[in-house]
Amino acid sequence: MPSSFLALSDIIYAIGPKPILSGIDLILEKGRIYGLVGPNGSGKSTLLKIIARQVVPQSGAISFGGKAAADWGVREFARHVAYMPQFTPATDGMTVRELVALGRFPWHGTLGRFTATDRSKVEDAIACTELEDFADRPLANMSGGERQRAWIAMMLAQDARCLLLDEPTSALDLAHQASVLSLVQQLSHERGLTVVIVLHDINLAARYCDAIVALNRGRITAEGTPAEIMQADTLHSIFGVGMGVFPHPVRKEPVSYLL
């Protein structure tokens, strides 16, 4: 049986008088991929930032592995949870290997020595993301899909057990979207990683995620397997528009469309 890795209870967050998240209760299990979906402004990215400890909620409780979030030190937390924001920081002049090596920072710190273990973790992450031929190439000279794989490699080098990805496919073409999400799916299932991904495309979430969590106006409106979420009435309640569903002609998974 899968075990709980992350638990959120009655999370509330607001900016001034404007509520962003209200009464969020969520339990995430080890080794599963969760897709956060919902209309723009529903609170998806904010919820991910709260999980990543980038934003502090006004109230509520968060625990990782049964341990309260407040009891985790910064470096200890970074050894367990890796976060990739929607807009990644500038990497001017940096190669793939140099970026991936940054993932080892939580383990050796600013003044620590980069050890043989660190080098091994970096090379393993590069190999797992099939970036060996690009390892010494500047990130500026790579495609968007290749850069996303490099950021995922950095998260793997971090050796975290939970990956948080905010819209990792938003600027990618269809081929690179499939490549990045297939890689994340493979790594999650092979390594037992808990993954939370913010996605705009419900069909991508249904294809690559084990479970879907839908938000609307700062509340969780639906939660379940792709088959449970991909129902016409459920999709209407999430997105507020008429939608139909049909089985994929080859893979048989549910595919949605606008009416």
Side-chain angles (χ1 to χ4, degrees), residues 8-14 19-27 42 47 50 57-61 213-223:
L8 296 91
S9 177
D10 197 24
I11 297 298
I12 295 175
Y13 180 75
I20 306 298
L21 295 171
S22 302
I24 298 294
D25 295 313
L26 188 60
I27 295 177
S42 59
L47 178 56
I50 286 174
Q58 270 83 21
S59 64
V213 178
L215 283 82
N216 197 330
R217 297 183 180 180
R219 295 184 178 274
I220 295 176
T221 57
E223 181 182 355

Side-chain angles (χ1 to χ4, degrees), residues 56-112:
V56 179
Q58 270 83 21
S59 64
I62 306 174
S63 64
F64 295 89
K67 182 177 178 180
D71 295 336
W72 289 82
V74 174
R75 282 181 59 184
E76 182 187 16
F77 182 79
R79 291 176 178 180
H80 287 80
V81 179
Y83 168 63
M84 185 170 78
Q86 182 178 355
F87 302 104
T88 53
T91 55
D92 297 344
M94 191 175 292
T95 67
V96 169
R97 182 175 278 109
E98 289 169 341
L99 173 66
V100 177
L102 292 179
R104 299 304 300 164
F105 180 81
W107 297 90
H108 60 68
T110 303
L111 301 178

Side-chain angles (χ1 to χ4, degrees), residues 12-253:
I12 295 175
Y13 180 75
I15 298 178
K18 181 181 179 181
I20 306 298
L21 295 171
S22 302
I24 298 294
D25 295 313
L26 188 60
I27 295 177
L28 305 182
E29 297 173 343
K30 292 180 181 178
R32 305 193 77 204
I33 305 176
Y34 295 84
L36 291 183
V37 304
N40 289 342
S42 59
K44 302 183 299 296
S45 292
T46 300
L47 178 56
L48 198 72
K49 288 177 182 177
I50 286 174
I51 297 173
R53 292 181 29 170
Q54 302 293 307
V55 168
V56 179
Q58 270 83 21
S59 64
I62 306 174
S63 64
F64 295 89
K67 182 177 178 180
D71 295 336
W72 289 82
V74 174
R75 282 181 59 184
E76 182 187 16
F77 182 79
R79 291 176 178 180
H80 287 80
V81 179
Y83 168 63
M84 185 170 78
Q86 182 178 355
F87 302 104
T88 53
T91 55
D92 297 344
M94 191 175 292
T95 67
V96 169
R97 182 175 278 109
E98 289 169 341
L99 173 66
V100 177
L102 292 179
R104 299 304 300 164
F105 180 81
W107 297 90
H108 60 68
T110 303
L111 301 178
R113 186 169 61 89
F114 198 80
T115 67
T117 297
D118 293 321
R119 284 190 290 274
S120 176
K121 294 287 185 180
V122 168
E123 296 307 315
D124 177 63
I126 289 172
C128 284
T129 50
E130 298 181 351
L131 289 170
E132 297 100 323
D133 293 341
F134 302 91
D136 297 311
R137 181 179 298 186
L139 286 154
N141 296 343
M142 297 173 67
S143 70
E146 291 162 350
R147 284 196 298 271
Q148 291 295 69
R149 293 175 79 90
W151 280 97
I152 292 170
M154 186 195 74
M155 299 170 86
L156 290 179
Q158 193 171 328
D159 222 13
R161 307 311 302 162
C162 178
L163 309 184
L164 308 175
L165 309 171
D166 194 351
E167 297 190 39
T169 61
S170 60
L172 305 182
D173 59 32
L174 288 175
H176 283 108
Q177 288 179 16
S179 174
V180 167
L181 292 177
S182 292
L183 171 64
V184 171
Q185 184 184 59
Q186 175 188 346
L187 292 169
S188 171
H189 293 165
E190 287 181 355
R191 299 189 174 204
L193 306 178
T194 301
V195 181
V196 186
I197 315 177
V198 173
L199 291 169
H200 270 300
D201 189 330
I202 186 66
N203 289 324
L204 287 177
R207 177 163 183 168
Y208 293 102
C209 297
D210 300 308
I212 296 174
V213 178
L215 283 82
N216 197 330
R217 297 183 180 180
R219 295 184 178 274
I220 295 176
T221 57
E223 181 182 355
T225 65
E228 291 168 338
I229 299 298
M230 297 290 277
Q231 305 288 334
D233 55 346
T234 302
L235 294 174
H236 183 272
S237 71
I238 296 169
F239 297 103
V241 295
M243 300 181 73
V245 180
F246 67 92
H248 189 284
V250 176
R251 296 170 56 92
K252 306 305 179 184
E253 69 214 8

